[in-house]
């Protein structure tokens, strides 16, 4: 029987209100990317800051007891640094942002863990990642030829570990694992849109697509960090 209790997910809703408000502020202000500033960096990073608060709101004891939650929090910190660097990407800081997000994916991969392996999911992600690189390769030059390859490998690995954790055919299925899976997929969509728009050709409404999928991805991944706490609640409920 699938574990589909919505109560734990609903209980997290109020803690995410600041994130939704900050995201609305970003899209309402829609500051021009042609004029980078510390204010525009703050507005772009604000939703991620709110996700820091979302995780911290669960208490330091929770973060101290669960390494996966700490790794996701660390990933969100590096994500904010990456966001800030990308504000000034035209001034030569694109690679810096790329590095910050590469570290983010390593942290997220570690948080999702290596069990179960799920070879089928790994093969599918490998094929998709290879296809994406083949699409981008003719447009890449210089160091980006290998930097993009490494980055695709890292985000693909992160996506594999998130998808592998979603086991729909047994009792290990949870909403938080679904959140991790959807978050990873949306993150890959966001980054692929960035790559195509930067290296290949202009993507219509690229900024809206990139930021909408990115913020949704980060929220879902942050939500997946409360899995341990949700599991504790379910165990206590079963005991009662």
């Amino acid at each position: 029987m699938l574990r589909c209790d919505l109560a734990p997910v609903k209980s997290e809703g109020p803690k995410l209100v600041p994130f939704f408000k900050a995201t609305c502020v970003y899209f309402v202000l829609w500051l021009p990317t042609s004029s980078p500033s510390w204010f525009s960096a703050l507005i772009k990073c604000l939703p991620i800051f709110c996700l820091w608060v979302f995780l911290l709101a669960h208490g330091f004891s929770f973060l101290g007891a669960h390494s996966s939650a700490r790794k996701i929090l660390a990933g969100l910190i590096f994500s904010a640094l990456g966001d800030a660097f990308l504000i000034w990407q035209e001034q030569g800081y694109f690679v810096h942002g790329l590095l910050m997000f590469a570290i983010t994916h390593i942290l997220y991969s570690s948080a999702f863990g290596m069990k179960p392996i799920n070879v089928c999911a790994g093969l599918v992600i490998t094929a998709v990642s290879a296809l994406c690189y083949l699409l981008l390769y003719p447009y890449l030059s210089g160091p980006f030829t290998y930097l993009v390859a490494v980055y695709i490998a890292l985000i693909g690995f992160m996506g594999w570990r998130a998808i592998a954790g979603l086991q729909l055919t047994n009792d290990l299925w949870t909403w938080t694992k679904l959140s991790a899976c959807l978050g990873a997929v949306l993150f890959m969509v966001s980054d692929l849109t960035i790559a195509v728009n930067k290296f290949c050709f202009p993507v219509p409404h690229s900024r809206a697509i990139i930021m909408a999928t990115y913020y949704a991805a980060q929220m879902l991944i942050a939500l997946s960090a409360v899995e341990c706490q949700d599991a504790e609640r379910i165990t206590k409920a079963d005991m009662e």
Side-chain angles (χ1 to χ4, degrees):
M1 182 177 179
L2 293 180
R3 181 178 295 161
C4 53
D5 181 13
L6 283 172
V9 178
K10 289 180 179 178
S11 70
E12 302 301 332
K15 299 186 186 76
L16 287 169
V17 169
F19 164 79
F20 289 119
K21 289 183 177 180
T23 302
C24 288
V25 168
Y26 174 83
F27 283 104
V28 168
L29 292 180
W30 202 243
L31 298 174
T33 56
S34 57
S35 303
S37 67
W38 285 109
F39 179 69
S40 59
L42 173 63
I43 295 302
K44 184 181 181 184
C45 295
L46 193 57
I48 306 303
F49 294 159
C50 291
L51 292 178
W52 297 4
V53 175
F54 166 74
L55 289 181
L56 291 171
H58 289 82
F60 288 104
S61 59
F62 170 72
L63 291 171
H66 303 295
S67 63
S68 60
R70 294 196 302 273
K71 290 170 184 175
I72 288 177
L73 177 59
L76 288 168
I77 292 171
F78 278 100
S79 293
L81 292 172
D83 285 332
F85 277 125
L86 291 181
I87 287 288
W88 286 278
Q89 61 177 292
E90 298 302 326
Q91 285 70 38
Y93 288 95
F94 181 79
V95 173
H96 299 72
L98 200 68
L99 175 61
M100 294 300 103
F101 280 109
I103 296 172
T104 294
H105 297 317
I106 293 171
L107 287 165
Y108 286 170
S109 298
S110 180
F112 297 146
M114 286 302 297
K115 294 181 180 180
I117 293 295
N118 197 333
V119 175
C120 291
L123 291 174
V124 170
I125 290 295
T126 299
V128 171
S129 298
L131 184 62
C132 290
Y133 185 67
L134 288 174
L135 169 68
L136 296 169
Y137 182 77
Y139 302 93
L140 301 175
S141 60
F144 285 114
T145 303
Y146 59 86
L147 287 176
V148 170
V150 172
Y151 187 85
I152 288 176
L154 290 174
I155 193 172
F157 186 83
M158 184 274 292
W160 170 39
R161 297 321 310 146
I163 294 170
L166 183 63
Q167 302 175 74
L168 296 174
T169 57
N170 56 45
D171 290 339
L172 296 177
W173 185 89
T174 63
W175 283 106
T176 47
K177 290 184 183 296
L178 177 62
S179 293
C181 177
L182 293 176
V185 171
L186 286 174
F187 216 135
M188 290 188 286
V189 171
S190 179
D191 280 3
L192 178 60
T193 306
I194 290 175
V196 171
N197 189 70
K198 181 175 182 62
F199 297 113
C200 302
F201 50 82
V203 177
H205 311 294
S206 60
R207 186 179 171 191
I209 295 170
I210 290 165
M211 297 312 298
T213 52
Y214 170 69
Y215 285 141
Q218 294 283 37
M219 179 200 70
L220 289 166
I221 291 173
L223 186 59
S224 76
V226 303
E227 177 177 1
C228 297
Q229 194 170 63
D230 290 345
E232 290 170 2
R233 290 173 181 164
I234 291 168
T235 300
K236 289 178 181 178
D238 290 342
M239 293 175 64
E240 293 172 358

